[in-house]
């Protein structure tokens, strides 16, 4: 699963649970490879003109998922590093889009895996930003951990199933994650990381 691949890769898709560091790793990776980074959630917020939390509150999760699928499909067409939202793998249509892109040989999907406690710690740094965690009420530490644990358990198999490469990111900086992914997708351009 983690053998380096030839550099025909044009699109790197980062998947993983909320708080796993997809957006910051995507920015770092884009710097390393000199490719553009696209943050799917950010692109959606630009389109709807409001935050994802507010959009969930007014229009519901299904409306958000429809937007997410359209943005995913559009973003898979060009050379880029794509940071997805944590729920992208929950829709069969999205998993099929990823699989088609991987079959073309031009796209690699990377799962940034992290432990529930790591994810909960990072999620709690932005209270109210994740509608599926604390969108309805303020949660304490134990409640946040439990919510993360339950959702992660339901989704883990999809992240793993979609991934060409899995990076355990608990102890890594975004720069280190980016180095590992760069060495995998563009081995001739990137020396293997030394840590
Ligand atoms: C979601 C994750 C969020 C955002 C939305 C739904 C999810 O993105 O797309 O709140 O279902 O896991 P991040 O993973 O960037 O937080």
């Amino acid at each position: 699963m983690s053998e380096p691949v030839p550099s025909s890769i044009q699109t790197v898709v980062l998947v993983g649970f909320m708080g796993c560091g997809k957006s910051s790793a995507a920015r770092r990776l884009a710097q390393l490879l000199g490719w553009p980074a696209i943050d799917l959630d950010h692109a959606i917020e630009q389109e709807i003109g409001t935050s994802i939390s507010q959009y969930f509150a007014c229009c519901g999760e299904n409306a958000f998922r429809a937007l997410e699928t359209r943005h995913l499909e559009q973003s898979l067409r060009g050379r880029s590093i794509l940071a997805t939202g944590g729920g992208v793998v929950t829709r069969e249509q999205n998993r099929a889009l990823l699989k088609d892109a991987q079959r073309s040989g031009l796209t690699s999907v990377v799962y940034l895996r992290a432990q529930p406690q790591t994810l909960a710690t990072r999620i709690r740094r932005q209270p109210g930003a994740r509608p599926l965690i604390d969108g309805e009420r303020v949660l304490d530490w134990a409640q946040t951990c439990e919510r993360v644990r339950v959702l992660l358990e339901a989704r883990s198999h999809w992240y793993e199933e979609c991934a060409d490469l899995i990076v355990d990111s608990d102890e890594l900086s975004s720069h280190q994650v980016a180095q590992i992914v760069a060495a995998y997708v563009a081995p001739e351009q990137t020396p293997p990381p030394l840590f």
Side-chain angles (χ1 to χ4, degrees):
M1 185 194 271
S2 57
E3 283 297 298
V5 291
S7 60
S8 55
I9 292 300
Q10 304 246 355
T11 312
V12 180
V13 183
L14 302 182
V15 299
F17 202 81
M18 296 167 257
C20 72
K22 300 171 298 263
S23 301
S24 43
R27 284 193 298 271
R28 289 288 195 165
L29 188 55
Q31 282 167 2
L32 280 180
L33 296 179
W35 302 359
I38 300 174
D39 190 303
L40 226 57
D41 283 350
H42 185 66
I44 292 169
E45 284 180 335
Q46 299 274 92
E47 178 182 333
I48 60 184
T50 183
S51 70
I52 285 171
S53 302
Q54 280 174 350
Y55 193 75
F56 261 68
C58 79
C59 309
E61 181 175 352
N62 284 343
F64 170 77
R65 296 295 173 205
L67 280 173
E68 189 176 46
T69 296
R70 179 159 54 74
H71 276 265
L72 175 68
E73 192 167 14
Q74 285 164 0
S75 306
L76 284 170
R77 292 187 194 139
R79 170 172 270 215
S80 62
I81 314 294
L82 184 55
T84 60
V88 85
V89 296
T90 60
R91 251 197 168 193
E92 196 180 343
Q93 199 181 344
N94 296 347
R95 297 196 300 275
L97 284 171
L98 292 175
K99 196 162 270 173
D100 281 350
Q102 286 164 301
R103 259 195 228 114
S104 73
L106 301 175
T107 298
S108 262
V109 177
V110 179
Y111 171 26
L112 305 189
R113 186 163 58 186
Q115 295 299 314
Q117 294 228 337
T118 307
L119 299 167
T121 303
R122 295 182 186 158
I123 287 169
R124 285 177 68 77
R125 287 186 195 140
Q126 295 172 293
R130 271 43 181 249
L132 293 181
I133 302 287
D134 57 358
E136 274 157 22
R137 65 194 174 96
V138 177
L139 303 184
D140 65 21
W141 167 248
Q143 290 166 328
T144 310
C145 286
E146 182 55 11
R147 186 86 193 105
V148 168
R149 194 191 60 72
V150 170
L151 257 187
L152 182 61
E153 203 171 287
R155 292 176 172 183
S156 286
H157 68 104
W158 282 320
Y159 293 130
E160 285 166 15
E161 183 186 298
C162 290
D164 298 297
L165 173 72
I166 298 176
V167 178
D168 283 305
S169 60
D170 295 84
E171 308 292 335
L172 300 176
S173 67
S174 54
H175 184 63
Q176 289 171 322
V177 171
Q179 280 183 303
I180 291 169
V181 179
Y184 175 74
V185 297
E188 342 55 28
Q189 200 178 325
T190 331
L194 294 173
F195 47 88

